[in-house]
Amino acid sequence: MAEQEASGLQVLLSTLQSSCDKDVILNILSVLTDLLSLGTGRRIHYVISKGGSEALLQALTTAARTEPLDYSTLLPLLCLLARVGQRDRKFGLKVQKAEATDIILSLARRNLGHHLHLTHCLWVLRVCASNVTTGTTLGINGAMELLFKVITPYSKRHVRTIRAAIEALAALLKSKSNSRRAVNRGYLGGLLRLYQDWHHKDVSNNYIYIRRGLLLCLKHITNIQLGRETFLGSQGMEILFTSVQDCLTCKTLDPIITTVTQILRKCYPKESLPVATVRSSYFFLLPGNAKAEPPCEGSEGDYESDGEEEAEKDLDNEDVESKEEDYDLETDVNKLRSRPVLDRPEEELGQYEAMCPELSHNFQELESESEEEKSLENRTESFPSTPSRFIPSATSVKHPNYRLRNQSATEMGPDPGEKDFKVPLQNWTKKEKCRWDLSEEKRDIVEAAQDADSCEEEDPARSRTLTLHPLPNEAAWYKKMFYPECEALINPSPGGRLESSDIVTTLLEKHQGDIPFHSPCFYIARAKCVKSIPDYKDLAFPDFWGHQSPPYTKPMLERKYGVQRDKVLDDVRRLIQPGDVIGRTVFDLDEASHSSPGAPGCLTFFSKFESGNLRKAIQVREFEYDLIMNADVNSNQHHQWFYFEVRDMKLAVPYRFNIINCEKFNSQFNYGMQLVMYSVKEALQGRPCWLRAGHDICYYKNHYRCNAAAGGDTRGKCYYTLTFSIKFPHKDDVCYLAYHYPYTYSTMMSHLDILEQNRNPKKVYWRQQTLCQTLGGNPCPLLTITAMPDSKKRDDLEQFYNRPYVFLVARVHPGESNASWVMKGTLEFLVSSDPIADLLRKCFIFKIIPMLNPDGVINGNHRCSLSGDDLNRQWLTPNSQLHPTIYHAKGLLYYLRSIGRAPLVFCDYHGHSQKKNVFLYGCSIKETLWQAGCMVDTAVITEDVGYRTLPKILDKVAPAFVMNSCSFLVEKSRESTARVVVWQEMGVLRSYTMESTYCGCSHGLYKGLQLGTQELEEMGSKFCLGLLILHLKSLPCSKKVMAQAALLLDLEEEITDRAQRSCSNSVLETDDEPPCVEEIDYNADSCSDGEEDFSELDQEIQECLSWVEGETEDDEVTAGQTCSSKALRGLYISSQPVSNSTALPLRSTALGVHSGFESRPA
């Protein structure tokens, strides 16, 4: 049947090409018109596939050569060509092949006086010009001159013809040679004047499509450099900026506003960032012969994707990029198979035996427990446990200002062979508790000071004096808060500084913290031993004081309509109305003179503290500042993480901040994400919280470029602006702003100290060792956590030694602080007294590296280590000198594999800035080959699908986790990441990257909410719960373990259903973000403007046909034109064939049942 219908259509088209009978041709055109005017575009595509375009072009060529011209045939032909041609991607080439370009131009010239006929010709001309080559040919043959005659001068007569001519001109100007020709002939100025005429005289906004068409012409002309220069010289910026101000209040004018905004952004004169060089302000001399060279620049996706494990896509090339993404999939089966090879001599693996003391421990303490340990156990039993379904909000924030002199030596940890890591403070196990009382705090301060003295004796370079910056000078407020004894803090003597112990004691006396797992004293003790390149002498108050999760979760920020274009127009105002622009540098890492307090009424910025990142601050207007982030050390890129202090603000004033050197092409800031803010005054009043903050947030491409002199290999790189406004909660407060909840290296180290001290040593086996020293001289801790054996009986010890390993790492990318919060939740759960945690410890031995890139975290990097390398791209061949943490982490994994103890699960904790939710990336041979379109012989390629078990479990037990966001593809560009290397070289089936969003969730219990630290920590504990369920489902377990599990877990309830999640997680989530409320072209040089929407031209044609039925175009249309138009109605809008025709009496219903068309008859 399908063949019969196809042959029927082919007979029609063949007859149309060959017949000279007017009635036959009109009959066929009537059938085709009916056929293509109903239903969807599938019909047109089917006609195209059967040679419809060629048949119509041939018929047009034949009809155009007949004298006199028969418009009863030509008009329906032209109408059909316009409908079919706009959906035929090769239509322009077919027009050239049929030699129809001159015919169409000739028809248009002959009908300059007949606007109905001319409109039909212009429709086809527009469709032909969609092909750049054909458009260039038309331009050479005088098409633009013809169109300018039609659209000028300004007139409201024959507006449909003018609209068709303007849209055809816009299509022609997509050709750069046509744009150049238009500029050289002065058409750009004419278009500007014509646009002004239509803008001023279209008071009722009846001709928006004409005004927008003129703007599209200007947009295409300004795609070339000559066009932009001429546009600027013709005062185009001023003209369009002034005109768009009249449109902002009318929502129906959004198409005009959007196009104007795109033109203004594109034509804004490009300039370099206001820095001497885009390379980092910090430099680190690499060991040996290695030199810190600028990294090789790849595409934007190359250096922006990995921790996100997904290449970014240019919005204007999504189809191309998606093909390239499939091409990136590894299709070589031999490379996908496990490759157990060594990258180092086998004898080197012996050094890692000392990092597995649990395998040789004799557990003598099980029989000879000291009284001190018993006392500690009794104390820890009263320590609040960590429930399995709730993670206590943790501390750790980065910002009190502590002045350190000669910030230097990090505490040099013991050799890897040592079983215990010695912490700086003396006798912490005996004297410190989680809930601190004042007497113990004072004692800790004394001990910390004693420790500092001992440090100084060992190494004089470590000597430093710790003080906090003076807090805001508001005496009345502080007297009320601190009483008179704190006045010295407010007004320190000019010649000296207060000792940190005095300040800390005063603060803690009046504000005793109640933050679990955090002690300011522990933090100071750890922070003063950190080694940094800038030699930090200040400590951020939030890190010192701590962070407590607020009692509520904030919803994603609702995007204010038009916020982005308002910001862009505000930027343009700087250029054309610079009267109120201040342009004063108020903070500069490169110039110490700019780092002092600024002028009255000006904000004061600061960022020289651990994890801080702000390079320069420029006051643009009274309440607006441009901010520039520092590049990663020894690099000239990776600008995303920011963390800085700001003070001297006014109350209830919206301050606008513009971070102008972002690199990613899009951001979750466009989809509801907010930055975080910490207020010192709020903290001192009992609310020490990092809170989501900011309004009018958007992210867009700006006019800054990187030139060769400033950036070396990054010449021509585009930058993006993150802009946000904030009203600070207090006058003259000290506030901290950050990309995400900060988590410093010192926070982690002090957190580990507290966990070790508060664990139950009879139940929790804990060893903290040093994996290695980093490039910067900071110890990278390695943890071993499991359950102590029940006794020294042979069976119990054998069960202990034979427990499978789980290997967890985090924070290889310094800017992904969310990974540390998830890891924090994992660690607190593992050492807690929760019975599920106790059972989990009995099932596994955990090897954990909580921070793989300490140097990057300390120095405020976003992605790299001090070597300027992305450490998650070094796992294939790590260098022992440049990438020590990766080299030794991989060595430890090699060792475990060599003794037959390869981990059951490996997971690398990351953060993702482009997607919502929490999800896993894994590795699968079959899924990769299937996605790449390769044939998979299941008899040859066998694969254990157990890699999917853990994500499926997490999807059920973790509210923030979404299985549908997970991916198990192996890409060539990811072959050197931890996930892929551990999977291939260690043979670990369950090797994952866990990605946590910076933003929030689109599914499940937290749908529509931004994730806070409590939710991230909860994810860490839920990951542990998932591991336990995985063990119970996948591995043989003893009856004892199963009995304990049965008491603690209802597995059916845990693994099968969650009422809050089942309804929402069934919807497949796509990788791409949903569109913004307001679509703005992120690539200002793009031609993507939406004018190719098929329905637009179809609607225009239908409107014109309705006009042919008898509607007048405007008041000036003559009666003769209307009557002649009515006479044409039956020729190509009637559903019936011509009454006196006898040839080919076919109706459109004859083709209505073909599978390619609508199922119902036409």
Side-chain angles (χ1 to χ4, degrees), residues 60-178:
L60 175 67
T61 303
T62 304
R65 290 171 182 166
T66 306
E67 290 293 345
L69 294 176
D70 185 356
Y71 286 100
S72 63
T73 303
L74 281 172
L75 294 186
L77 258 176
L78 291 168
C79 184
L80 283 169
L81 276 170
R83 285 184 182 275
V84 173
Q86 65 177 327
R87 289 174 173 84
D88 188 347
R89 293 186 176 182
K90 298 183 178 179
F91 187 73
L93 298 177
K94 293 175 182 178
V95 169
Q96 286 186 298
K97 187 175 180 180
E99 299 180 349
T101 51
D102 291 337
I103 293 174
I104 296 169
L105 270 179
S106 176
L107 286 173
R109 288 192 179 99
R110 293 178 63 171
N111 287 283
L112 284 174
H114 197 293
H115 295 281
L116 175 63
H117 300 171
L118 178 60
T119 302
H120 285 67
C121 296
L122 294 175
W123 290 338
V124 180
L125 190 65
R126 169 187 173 180
V127 174
C128 292
S130 61
N131 177 276
V132 175
T133 305
T134 309
T136 301
T137 303
L138 289 167
I140 294 172
N141 293 335
M144 287 195 297
E145 291 79 357
L146 170 68
L147 295 174
F148 264 91
K149 288 181 181 178
V150 177
I151 66 176
T152 56
Y154 166 79
S155 171
K156 282 191 177 180
R157 289 173 57 87
H158 317 300
V159 290
R160 284 188 172 84
T161 305
I162 293 173
R163 174 184 181 181
I166 291 173
E167 290 169 348
L169 180 60
L172 283 171
L173 289 171
K174 287 185 177 181
S175 162
K176 290 187 177 180
S177 60
N178 284 343

Side-chain angles (χ1 to χ4, degrees), residues 787-801:
M788 296 289 285
D790 292 337
S791 70
K792 290 191 66 177
K793 294 179 181 179
R794 180 177 178 179
D795 290 346
D796 289 334
L797 291 180
E798 185 175 346
Q799 190 276 338
F800 176 90
Y801 295 135

